[in-house]
Amino acid sequence: MNLPKILCLHGEGTSSEILRIQTSTLTASIPQFSFHYLDAPFPSPPGPGVLPFFEGPYYTWVRASSLTSKSDITIVRTLLQKTIAEHTFVGVLAFSQGGLVAAGLLRDEVLGKGLRFGIFLSCTYPPFVPAAGVWCLLFVGAED
């Protein structure tokens, strides 16, 4: 059975596997969807609270040394284009820094076409104004 897919984007200094573990209870509670976890393109040191619990490799969506680098933006966009070409997603789930990418994806008229919702878990980017017709659910802890 083909379930609707949600693209999952991890935070800085983690990985798709770490996010898969961190969201396992959430994803198990909504079996109506399948979840596709994507690693960011740039290697990174481990993020806060990652060690000693999770082994690497670790990745980031944005390199601090090139926050405005058009080449880095192109690399991330190309990764998303490739992933979206291979899968049909109905929504995006993002944790922390992954929220920056998810928010941009939901606002993008080409790459975000077909995305109907976003789930943001302790993200650094929102609040943002979603595109018309896109539902967003934001979870932010008291310490975030």
Side-chain angles (χ1 to χ4, degrees), residues 86-100:
E86 295 171 357
H87 304 276
T88 300
F89 297 105
V90 296
V92 60
L93 177 149
F95 175 77
S96 192
Q97 188 191 66
L100 176 67

Side-chain angles (χ1 to χ4, degrees), residues 51-67:
L51 294 176
F53 305 104
F54 299 105
E55 294 182 13
Y58 311 107
Y59 302 97
T60 186
W61 296 101
V62 179
R63 294 188 281 196
S65 62
S66 59
L67 287 175

Side-chain angles (χ1 to χ4, degrees), residues 7 24 36 89 91 95 102 110 116 121:
L7 176 62
S24 61
H36 181 84
F89 297 105
F95 175 77
V110 175
R116 298 191 312 229
L121 307 170

Side-chain angles (χ1 to χ4, degrees), residues 9-38:
L9 307 173
H10 62 80
E12 178 181 14
T14 66
S15 67
S16 60
E17 186 57 30
I18 292 172
L19 183 61
R20 183 186 319 274
I21 292 166
Q22 291 174 322
T23 59
S24 61
T25 300
L26 172 64
T27 58
S29 71
I30 45 177
Q32 304 87 340
F33 295 95
S34 65
F35 298 86
H36 181 84
Y37 295 82
L38 184 63

Side-chain angles (χ1 to χ4, degrees), residues 54-130:
F54 299 105
E55 294 182 13
Y58 311 107
Y59 302 97
T60 186
W61 296 101
V62 179
R63 294 188 281 196
S65 62
S66 59
L67 287 175
T68 59
S69 167
K70 289 191 187 236
S71 65
D72 281 6
I73 293 169
T74 300
I75 291 168
V76 171
R77 188 171 177 82
T78 300
L79 175 62
L80 292 171
Q81 285 172 326
K82 179 179 181 278
T83 303
I84 290 168
E86 295 171 357
H87 304 276
T88 300
F89 297 105
V90 296
V92 60
L93 177 149
F95 175 77
S96 192
Q97 188 191 66
L100 176 67
V101 178
L105 187 57
L106 287 168
R107 298 283 302 163
D108 189 291
E109 293 179 6
V110 175
L111 291 179
K113 188 175 181 180
L115 293 176
R116 298 191 312 229
F117 61 88
I119 303 169
F120 293 85
L121 307 170
S122 296
C123 292
T124 54
Y125 183 71
F128 74 101
V129 179

